[in-house]
Amino acid sequence: PPRSTLSSSSAASDVYKRQVFVQSVKAQTPVHVCATCPLTSIQAAIENSAPGTVIQVAAGTYPEQLVLTKSVTVQGGWNLTFEQHDMWAWRTVVDGQGAGAVISISQAAPIVEGLWLVAGSGTRGGGVWIADAQPLLYRNVISGNQATGLPALGGGIYAQGVQTQLKLDANWMIANQAQQGGGLFMQDTARLTATNNIVVGNVAQVGGGIYTHGNGISWIVNNTVAENDPSGLELMDRSIVFINN
């Protein structure tokens, strides 16, 4: 039978699809941050990246306060050649130096993975401050942060805003301090999904581990909450799903 041929319009369509595919592959090329990389600052990488970019950060200590208003992925735990990924073997530490929240997130849906967020300080959110955003925090260590002054809410994480939907999965929230919500404070947000987290040794006057108030719905599933002072959980939301904690 005769060999079929492509029409000119079909051929043009195929060329366009190949161009889109190539552009997509290029867009997925990760950006690297390390002491000897062209980019040595995580914040500089964020500012120079388009939404959807994966920013891979090598082991080391980065004295920064990060501002995330883009839907990018910031991924720590890489070795210096970016060939191996293990957040415990290659610790990527972001040190807030007591000068503000270690990470501030607003108006975006970023992914933050594999970082050690330490020594942050602020009246709302010592480690992480979130407003009207939809972030995923995955496998981070959030430790040694504090909310000070007034109102001193959320030593580890503070979240607010009716558009906020926060996902916390497999994080370690350890030894953070605040007046309310030593590990996490959330108020008047749309949704909290907290799964597989370890919340230990946080201190506050109310809600040493997790304090939530007025959220639309909170899913608290399969977390370990222990040795927080004075209590592990203070949940006062409109709807709560509480399983296997």
Side-chain angles (χ1 to χ4, degrees):
R3 184 176 301 170
S4 62
T5 59
L6 291 173
S7 68
S8 59
S9 61
S10 177
S13 175
D14 284 350
V15 170
Y16 172 76
K17 289 177 182 177
R18 285 195 296 272
Q19 290 174 341
V20 169
F21 174 77
V22 170
Q23 290 170 355
S24 175
V25 170
K26 289 181 178 178
Q28 293 173 11
T29 301
V31 172
H32 290 162
V33 178
C34 68
T36 57
C37 294
L39 289 170
T40 59
S41 160
I42 303 172
Q43 186 62 45
I46 293 168
E47 293 173 359
N48 286 279
S49 296
T53 300
V54 176
I55 300 168
Q56 297 176 344
V57 189
T61 298
Y62 299 81
E64 302 188 58
Q65 296 85 46
L66 306 180
V67 178
L68 268 170
T69 57
K70 296 178 180 178
S71 299
V72 297
T73 296
V74 180
Q75 186 181 70
W78 287 92
N79 70 344
L80 296 178
T81 60
F82 296 95
E83 295 173 337
Q84 298 183 58
H85 186 225
D86 185 329
M87 66 171 288
W88 302 103
W90 296 287
R91 294 189 180 187
T92 303
V93 179
V94 186
D95 186 343
Q97 300 182 305
V102 184
I103 300 182
S104 299
I105 304 171
S106 62
Q107 303 292 328
I111 299 171
V112 178
E113 175 189 349
L115 299 179
W116 296 65
L117 307 177
V118 304
S121 179
T123 58
R124 290 178 170 87
V128 184
W129 176 89
I130 300 165
D132 289 317
Q134 301 79 42
L136 166 61
L137 306 185
Y138 175 61
R139 288 179 58 82
N140 302 282
V141 175
I142 303 167
S143 181
N145 304 285
Q146 58 181 338
T148 60
L150 293 174
L153 306 175
I157 301 171
Y158 170 86
Q160 67 176 34
V162 295
Q163 298 180 33
T164 292
Q165 298 186 42
L166 172 59
K167 295 180 181 179
L168 300 172
D169 186 40
N171 299 281
W172 291 261
M173 290 178 274
I174 302 172
N176 302 286
Q177 298 182 29
Q179 288 190 15
Q180 298 181 44
L184 166 68
F185 181 94
M186 286 189 71
Q187 185 171 21
D188 299 328
T189 67
R191 185 183 185 97
L192 166 65
T193 304
T195 54
N196 309 306
N197 300 284
I198 295 175
V199 185
V200 174
N202 301 284
V203 177
Q205 292 182 11
V206 180
I210 296 175
Y211 182 102
T212 66
H213 183 272
N215 296 310
I217 184 169
S218 290
W219 286 74
I220 314 292
V221 180
N222 199 38
N223 301 280
T224 299
V225 183
E227 299 181 7
N228 300 283
D229 184 17
S231 62
L233 298 166
E234 296 283 344
L235 307 176
M236 293 180 285
D237 299 323
R238 293 188 290 275
S239 179
I240 299 170
V241 177
F242 191 80
I243 301 172
N244 194 35
N245 298 283

